[in-house]
Amino acid sequence: MRLLLVFVALLAGCAATPPTQTPPPQEPAPVEAAPPASPGVPAPPAAPAAPAPKAAVERLMASARTDVAASRLGSAEATLERALRIAPRDPRLWQQLARIRLQQGQYRQAESLAARSNTWAGADNALRAENWSLIAQARDARGDRAGASAAQQNAERYGR
Amino acid sequence: MARRRRFRPYFRLGLLALALLAAGYVLYLDLRVRHEFEGRRFALPARIYARPLELHVGLRVPEDDVVRELRELGYHPVARQDRSGWYVRNGAQLDIALRPFIFWDGPQPARELKVGFEAGAVVSLTDAKGADLALARLEPLVIGGIYPTNNEDRLLVRLGEVPKVLVKELIAVEDRNFYTHWGFDPRGIARALLSLPTGHVQGGSTLTQQLVKNFFLSPERTLRRKALELVMAVLLELNYSKQEILETYLNEIYLGQDRDRAIHGVGLAAQFYFDKPVQSLTTAQSALLVGLVRGPTYYDPYRHPQRALERRNLVLRETRDEGFISAAEYQAARASSLGLNPKPSTGTTPYPAFVDLVHRQLRHDYDEDDLRSEGLRIFSTLDPRVQAAAEHALSDRLAAFDRKGRFGKPGLEGAVVVADPQSGEVQALVGGRDPRYQGFNRALDAERQVGSLLKPAIYLTALQDPSRYTLATMLDDSKFVWQPRNAEPWRPENYDRQYHGQVPLYLALAHSYNVAAARLGTTLGLDSVFATARKLGIERALPPYPSTLLGAANLTPMEVAQMYQTIASGGFRSPLHAIRDVTTADGHPLKRYPLAVAQAFPPDPMYLLTAGLQDVVREGTAQSLANWLPPVLGAAGKTGTTNEQRDAWFAGFTGARVAVVWVGYDDNRPARLLGATAALPVWGEMMAALEPEPVAFPQPEDVEKATIDPQSGLLADSACPGAIELPFVKGSAPKDRAPCAGNPVMDNVKGFFQRLFGN
């Protein structure tokens, strides 16, 4: 939701920048293109914003935490995937899943999932630091010492 | 005397041998009877479910679509006391009484929900007492099965679940002495012979014999077969109780045909004809099913309602005559209508292309025999709403082309793949213009030239090296000849047969310039570009020629979808898959197909490539997409058109979906269609129907924006016409100012004074 707002704000920002009309083409228009939207057809409106699925995600995260505490990793994994279908841009879900993969010994998955979490982390540096620390552990477990220490440095940089 | 004495031992020996042989044969039959009975009794097709619709506050789904899904699930549109499986709609409020269902993660009990809608989204979700609920799952739709070779389908029922009156009707009509005979019934045969002249047909075969006939024997009518049937029936009776035989019979019996699917057993027949569980059948409905035993085609209640009604009433009369129902019950049942389920038949599946994909993926992990007999429950990723939108968009558009009448016969074909870019779950698959046709699955098997769809692999290869390439790097789109050793020179051309001189990289991509892409690709090296394609998910070896750069390579729509999934997720490849979970018939979890993610590319070049693909839509070959999707969504994609326009493609993504559309002829003749005019409209129409979300990748930390003059690829200011803001990896943006831009020193001085004195 917040991301959507940021995006809309960015677009609003774009609209205020210098006119972005394409100059008259010097070359004939490429024939692979279809004619652009006819001016008579109004562009469909952007979809209205829906309330965030906060309650659903929190509930599933809590349930996954209970599962992890009880060592039911398979069940926790299924629950987090369920939550991710609802909120695929929630970096905490990707991180929890990364942590489970680490516990399951699936180090490459753990690393990719933590990196996935980082792409949605925004300004949450604490979350980034945890992700880098997860990546460091995964690399270390795989025997990639150099990679692990580089990741650890990132973790410390964000952790400050 | 002596002769007789000599003969007698041989005679006895012969008798003994004969008896032994006969005994051996009977033993063999006994073994066979028992083996088949035990094995076949539980032969159940794997059942495939769609994804369950997950309701929660914030879900963007129109109320109409939820109601449609409830109807598809067979929910009744009126409240029913003490029963589940209904819904009531009060304006923007939907009350649902959910049926119990066993999900892969455990059972969900029956419960009542109140769901509030506003502006196409769920805004409240509570239980019957008004307490907030975080989540509620509807049970998933059954979308097909994996059937035995003869496409037998059944829903197993226990004898205790079958209404007593159904059993009574069956016995009254088919086998009155069932509980007392030994597998065959001389009285029944005699009665059958006697009744011949009256035209009142009595079969004479006991239920046991009918079961044997269905289980073990071919339908020919010879004396030898009749004798065999009799012996096996007796053996069955010796081995099993009447209850077991009856239960098996009720599950085995053939009761109808749904296109290619054979309806077996009263459990499935109850659902097929009346859309209810067998427990809820009325006396009249049970009688209809019992009447079908004699000839499901002849008495087909859909095609011959009058005939079926008469047969039903005959069953009711005989049941009354046997004293199994009262005269009053008989009168009431006789007066009722057939009460058939009006749902159109779907055959083995309404989604053959998707079920084909599920089946192929299951074959990696399961034995074919197990799939066809163990009654596995397969929870798939199909989203029926997405599937419906994809089917409609494809058939609408192809029908529109047909109306223009220049496409001849056989007509244009097409295929659609839709997936969730975050997980790789396939949400919809259309294998041709007739989505119910179980033939050639173009989404998986049509290997077609991909044209410009491969170009993103070239540009991504370049953008991974920001010291050499940015979106603003000027590329050379002038005449180009590639002279490999020992081969013909290659002279790529643009679609418009023009050269465009120096163009910034993002515009070369947006307008799909072939010459600039070919020159860039050969400069980077075919091997580097192919390595990028492989990392994007193209596993097939690409032809090792430069023409591959411009798409002279055959791929299936599914392979293209995999490539674009990696792009749409920002560089995280997830294998496209159609299955989430598999459980046993009684709900015990067997196997999960967990979310798998591999980071194939770092975020920075993916962010730049996505901006480039958004430019394709904003000002390039796909700008007509604005007819369907508002520009604010920032949809990204690429058109593809092949030589002589044999193939029209569009591949791209919005925030929550990645989709690929292919349109062309099966026989590969030129279609004279462009990706943008044939495939893009299907894509646009489909996406517009599915509450598209904006593409909103967060800008990576190492990326910054700069305003660029498209003429020179240099820094622009407000004096430059058509200036555009583009993302750059930090430090890689051009340092020099475009000729159109003002003097930087003067600007800085002006800026300094402005800051000093205000405007």
Side-chain angles (χ1 to χ4, degrees), chain B residues 348-366:
Chain B
T348 44
T349 173
Y351 310 118
F354 186 85
V355 165
D356 181 23
L357 174 64
V358 170
H359 196 171
R360 291 187 203 195
Q361 297 192 339
L362 283 172
R363 272 191 217 130
H364 289 297
D365 300 305
Y366 294 92

Side-chain angles (χ1 to χ4, degrees), chain B residues 508-526:
Chain B
L509 173 59
H511 295 309
S512 206
Y513 293 150
N514 283 339
V515 185
R519 189 179 267 114
L520 175 62
T522 48
T523 307
L524 295 166
L526 289 185

Side-chain angles (χ1 to χ4, degrees), chain B residues 228-286:
Chain B
L228 204 60
E229 177 189 301
L230 208 124
V231 175
M232 287 172 108
V234 173
L235 287 171
L236 207 58
E237 293 273 350
L238 287 173
N239 278 304
Y240 301 99
S241 72
K242 290 283 182 189
Q243 303 301 318
E244 284 172 300
I245 291 168
L246 191 57
E247 185 174 277
T248 309
Y249 180 93
L250 289 168
N251 281 307
E252 166 59 30
I253 190 72
Y254 170 61
L255 289 171
Q257 192 69 31
D258 171 26
R259 291 193 182 200
D260 58 338
R261 182 171 68 131
I263 309 294
H264 282 256
V266 294
L268 186 63
Q271 190 197 66
F272 177 67
Y273 290 109
F274 303 113
D275 192 22
K276 50 162 66 172
V278 70
Q279 295 94 313
S280 321
L281 290 179
T282 64
T283 302
Q285 288 167 337
S286 306

Side-chain angles (χ1 to χ4, degrees), chain B residues 486-561:
Chain B
N486 316 321
E488 285 291 296
W490 178 57
R491 296 185 178 85
E493 285 189 341
N494 284 322
Y495 288 98
D496 59 0
R497 316 243 173 233
Q498 307 278 330
Y499 298 100
H500 308 92
Q502 294 287 315
V503 285
L505 184 147
Y506 82 95
L507 276 184
L509 173 59
H511 295 309
S512 206
Y513 293 150
N514 283 339
V515 185
R519 189 179 267 114
L520 175 62
T522 48
T523 307
L524 295 166
L526 289 185
D527 289 343
S528 316
V529 176
F530 290 175
T532 302
R534 221 171 7 259
K535 275 161 69 183
L536 283 170
I538 305 227
E539 288 174 6
R540 178 194 301 255
L542 294 170
Y545 311 111
S547 57
T548 303
L549 293 170
L550 301 183
N554 291 357
L555 295 176
T556 66
M558 188 73 171
E559 289 175 297
V560 174

Side-chain angles (χ1 to χ4, degrees), chain A residues 46-132:
Chain A
K54 196 163 167 286
V57 173
E58 296 304 326
R59 169 58 204 293
L60 290 171
M61 274 184 70
S63 157
R65 260 185 237 114
T66 313
D67 283 337
V68 170
S71 300
R72 292 188 302 260
L73 294 186
S75 171
E77 163 193 300
T79 305
L80 285 172
E81 286 177 21
R82 193 175 163 194
L84 275 169
R85 281 182 210 114
I86 297 171
R89 295 171 187 179
D90 189 330
R92 299 168 306 161
L93 298 173
W94 291 104
Q95 186 181 70
Q96 273 207 34
L97 198 54
R99 198 164 280 136
I100 288 173
R101 292 282 187 267
L102 192 66
Q103 269 183 274
Q104 291 169 329
Q106 298 184 37
Y107 303 120
R108 280 182 197 282
Q109 280 297 318
E111 183 174 343
S112 279
L113 289 163
R116 195 92 185 81
S117 174
N118 266 340
T119 63
W120 298 115
D124 190 343
N125 282 342
L127 192 91
R128 279 178 196 273
E130 282 178 63
N131 283 332
W132 279 112

Side-chain angles (χ1 to χ4, degrees), chain B residues 26 30 76 143 428 543 565 692 712 716:
Chain B
V26 170
D30 184 61
H76 294 261
I143 56 160
Q565 178 275 325
S712 61

Side-chain angles (χ1 to χ4, degrees), chain B residues 173-209:
Chain B
V173 178
E174 294 293 332
D175 188 1
R176 283 179 206 170
N177 303 312
F178 174 71
Y179 285 112
T180 51
H181 64 60
W182 282 58
F184 66 100
D185 184 12
R187 280 173 297 172
I189 295 170
R191 199 168 50 241
L193 291 174
L194 283 174
S195 68
L196 268 180
T198 68
H200 181 144
V201 185
Q202 272 275 355
S205 282
T206 64
L207 295 182
T208 321
Q209 281 169 301

